[in-house]
Amino acid sequence: MIRQQHTAPNTSNVTAHYRTPVVDQLLGRTTLEWTTDEGEKEHLRASLRFTDYEGNLPSAYSLMRLPYVVKTWFQTRKSPILPHPVPFIVLDAIKFLDKIVQPGMSVVEAGGGNSTLWFLEKGAKVTTYEHSAEWAKYIQCTMHEKPMRFHESNSKMKVMQGEAAVADMELIPDHSIDVILVDCMNDFTRRNDCIRVLMNKVKPGGWLVLDNSDNPVNWVGAEYLEGKEMHRFSGFAPMGLFVCQTTFWKM
């Protein structure tokens, strides 16, 4: 496994390089470089049209659903909110999550979007940490247009980022949340910091979900959860024609 062959970066010190941009874009070919605590340079290459960053092939289920992936990709060219919103995570992970989430469950998201509306439509009570006020307003307008469908009253949107967001997460009572989805943008709120704090907020038997768990910048957060029951999915996701990874930990 590629992750075992490299040392996880401890900061956002990961840069992407492209030698031939057009070809790289077509193949999803990416080279990531970072510096370890010991000052050593490391790099990782992947062609994300074919595998995730750790070299895992896409699942048969996500391959079978490629027409749907393409359909949702075209839909987002018209609107960033899908007609039938779903989380932007691996398709297998959506199916797994769908079996977990029940009406009335408490959900916390680090990073909002189509997933927010999907959770709300399923009747969950959702607290969302979102760095972009414009994007948060867009999501809220969608709720407001169809308040009965998306159970608008079950949504609590918090527009904050960085240390402020993490500090607010600290205030959540321990062992009080059923499901936590960490899918925020690292440029604004570090996923590793979110996991470090939020892992203590999950109820016993609840779930913490990390999207893009194959990306080296998120490996430290995954290391916090070693020893927990884990379910890892690699494959295509709605709205994105590249292979990614989503990991669940049962707390």
Side-chain angles (χ1 to χ4, degrees):
M1 183 176 175
I2 288 177
R3 186 178 301 186
Q4 295 175 341
Q5 300 170 2
H6 294 278
T7 301
N10 65 343
T11 65
S12 57
N13 183 27
V14 178
T15 56
H17 298 277
Y18 308 93
R19 295 179 181 174
T20 52
V22 175
V23 175
D24 283 347
Q25 185 174 4
L26 288 172
L27 298 178
R29 192 164 58 196
T30 308
T31 299
L32 300 179
E33 296 181 350
W34 67 91
T35 304
T36 68
D37 287 341
E38 292 74 27
E40 297 179 358
K41 299 286 186 179
E42 294 203 11
H43 71 272
L44 178 62
R45 294 190 180 95
S47 293
L48 299 178
R49 302 290 186 198
F50 308 103
T51 72
D52 64 19
Y53 278 116
E54 296 181 355
N56 298 304
L57 293 168
S59 69
Y61 175 73
S62 69
L63 284 170
M64 289 170 53
R65 300 212 65 200
L66 271 176
Y68 168 74
V69 173
V70 173
K71 176 184 176 181
T72 55
W73 186 87
F74 278 110
Q75 286 175 336
T76 55
R77 303 288 79 82
K78 298 178 181 179
S79 168
I81 298 294
L82 295 173
H84 301 284
V86 292
F88 187 15
I89 61 178
V90 177
L91 288 167
D92 307 68
I94 297 173
K95 185 167 63 170
F96 191 82
L97 188 60
D98 186 53
K99 295 177 181 178
I100 294 172
V101 179
Q102 302 296 326
M105 277 190 169
S106 55
V107 174
V108 170
E109 298 182 296
N114 281 274
S115 58
T116 308
L117 300 171
W118 182 82
F119 280 123
L120 290 170
E121 192 167 16
K122 289 181 69 64
K125 298 178 181 180
V126 186
T127 298
T128 304
Y129 290 88
E130 172 55 45
H131 78 272
S132 170
E134 182 179 0
W135 181 229
K137 185 177 180 180
Y138 196 97
I139 298 167
Q140 288 175 311
C141 285
T142 305
M143 293 180 211
H144 190 64
E145 289 170 1
K146 300 176 180 178
M148 300 303 292
R149 176 183 174 186
F150 294 119
H151 305 282
E152 184 180 13
S153 61
N154 284 345
S155 172
K156 183 183 295 184
M157 183 72 68
K158 298 195 173 191
V159 180
M160 52 180 61
Q161 60 180 277
E163 293 181 2
V166 174
D168 196 81
M169 292 173 186
E170 289 271 19
L171 300 178
I172 299 171
D174 288 352
H175 314 304
S176 64
I177 307 299
D178 292 294
V179 176
I180 290 175
L181 173 59
V182 179
D183 195 17
C184 49
M185 294 180 67
N186 276 310
D187 288 345
F188 298 95
T189 305
R190 304 293 301 161
R191 297 187 189 195
N192 296 332
D193 292 336
C194 292
I195 292 172
R196 175 178 52 79
V197 171
L198 291 175
M199 61 186 288
N200 298 315
K201 310 304 178 182
V202 186
K203 294 178 180 178
W207 295 88
L208 189 147
V209 188
L210 171 63
D211 194 33
N212 309 114
S213 50
D214 55 320
N215 192 312
V217 77
N218 301 321
W219 287 355
V220 169
E223 289 174 355
Y224 293 148
L225 296 159
E226 286 184 357
K228 302 290 185 182
E229 178 183 332
M230 183 184 75
H231 299 265
R232 181 162 285 164
F233 303 100
S234 292
F236 292 97
M239 305 168 270
L241 297 172
F242 54 88
V243 182
C244 51
Q245 184 185 103
T246 307
T247 301
F248 291 66
W249 289 271
K250 191 171 186 177
M251 309 303 285

